[in-house]
Structure formats: structure tokens, C-alpha cells
């Protein structure tokens, strides 16, 4: 029985670890996409001195918002898995080797609330501010 519990906890812990890694990957991708769009605007000369500001940085805000939402949703699921882990650890009523996190999703903050937590919002707000600044002032002396 103890061996099954340890194996179950290991499975859940593996998922939690992968999800934490995925969160970092989403943030990295968002910054990479923003940088690529800014670079595209620079290479096309759209942001050269005296030109009309390119709208590419503003367009880049939309994928950033999508990544922001995905990160919040991913964190919501990760926290639900953490609740599942705690339930197994504390010998609560959980089916053996169950990986169903949905039962625990109402025990954690929702994705919308998590989207505006500091750990999620700060990197994305920073990227959006940079994109707006590049759009507004990019290429101008």
C-alpha cells in the first residue's frame, strides 16, 4: 500500500515538474516572439528615424496576451495537481493512481485571478510596456 502511494505521488510530482518547466517555456516564447516582431520591424526599416512608427509592436501584443492567458491556465492546472498531491499524501479519498485534477480545480484560484498575480502578470506587463514603448518611440532619436 505504501509503495503504491509513493508511486502515485511520484507520478503526480512528475506532472507538476513538467508543468513548472512549461510555464517558463511559455514566458520565454512570448519574449522571443516580441523580440522577433521588433526585429522584423527594424529590418524592414519601418522604424527608422523620420518614418511613421510601425504597428508591428502593437500587433505583437496579441500573442503576448494569448501566452499570458495560457500561462495563467497552466498555473491553475498545476495548482490543482498540487492539491491532488496533497490529497494523496494525506490519505484523502482519491482513486488509486488517479491523475484527474479536475476534482481539485475549485480548490485553487481561477485562471483569471492567477493572470493578475505578480508571478504571472509581471513578465507579461513588462513585455507589453516594452512593445508599446518601441511602437511609440522606436527608431526615433
Amino acid at each position: 500500500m505504501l509503495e503504491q502511494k509513493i508511486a502515485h505521488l511520484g507520478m503526480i510530482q512528475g506532472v507538476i515538474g513538467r508543468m513548472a518547466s512549461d510555464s517558463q517555456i511559455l514566458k520565454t516564447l512570448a519574449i522571443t516572439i516580441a523580440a522577433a516582431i521588433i526585429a522584423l520591424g527594424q529590418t524592414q526599416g519601418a522604424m527608422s528615424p523620420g518614418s511613421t512608427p510601425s504597428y508591428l509592436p502593437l500587433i505583437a501584443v496579441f500573442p503576448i496576451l494569448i501566452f499570458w492567458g495560457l500561462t495563467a491556465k497552466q498555473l491553475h492546472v498545476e495548482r490543482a495537481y498540487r492539491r491532488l498531491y496533497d490529497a494523496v499524501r494525506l490519505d484523502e479519498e482519491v482513486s488509486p493512481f488517479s491523475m484527474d485534477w479536475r476534482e481539485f480545480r475549485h480548490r485553487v484560484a481561477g485562471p483569471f485571478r492567477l493572470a493578475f498575480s505578480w508571478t504571472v502578470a509581471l513578465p507579461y506587463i513588462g513585455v507589453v510596456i516594452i512593445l508599446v514603448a518601441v511602437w511609440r518611440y522606436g527608431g526615433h532619436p
Side-chain angles (χ1 to χ4, degrees):
M1 184 69 172
L2 181 61
E3 293 164 357
Q4 285 183 336
K5 181 178 178 179
I6 291 170
H8 193 186
L9 290 172
M11 290 170 47
I12 298 168
Q13 190 173 22
V15 171
I16 292 169
R18 284 189 301 276
M19 294 189 84
S21 174
D22 290 348
S23 176
Q24 186 60 42
I25 290 170
L26 286 171
K27 291 173 187 170
T28 302
L29 277 172
I31 292 169
T32 302
I33 288 173
I37 290 174
I38 290 170
L40 179 65
Q42 292 290 338
T43 59
Q44 292 180 347
M47 291 191 253
S48 60
S51 71
T52 305
S54 170
Y55 288 97
L56 284 175
L58 283 183
I59 292 169
V61 169
F62 295 107
I64 298 307
L65 294 176
I66 290 169
F67 280 108
W68 189 348
L70 285 172
T71 301
K73 177 62 178 174
Q74 180 274 334
L75 183 58
H76 172 73
V77 173
E78 179 186 332
R79 287 188 177 180
Y81 268 108
R82 289 177 186 271
R83 293 287 187 220
L84 171 61
Y85 183 93
D86 284 341
V88 171
R89 182 179 60 87
L90 298 171
D91 292 322
E92 292 178 15
E93 186 74 28
V94 177
S95 298
F97 296 101
S98 173
M99 297 297 284
D100 190 6
W101 60 273
R102 293 172 294 180
E103 176 183 337
F104 300 91
R105 68 180 173 219
H106 300 294
R107 298 183 191 182
V108 296
F112 186 78
R113 183 171 175 202
L114 289 171
F116 293 99
S117 67
W118 284 109
T119 56
V120 175
L122 195 59
Y124 291 105
I125 289 172
V127 171
V128 169
I129 288 170
I130 290 168
L131 288 170
V132 170
V134 167
W135 168 72
R136 180 67 180 100
Y137 303 107
H140 298 286

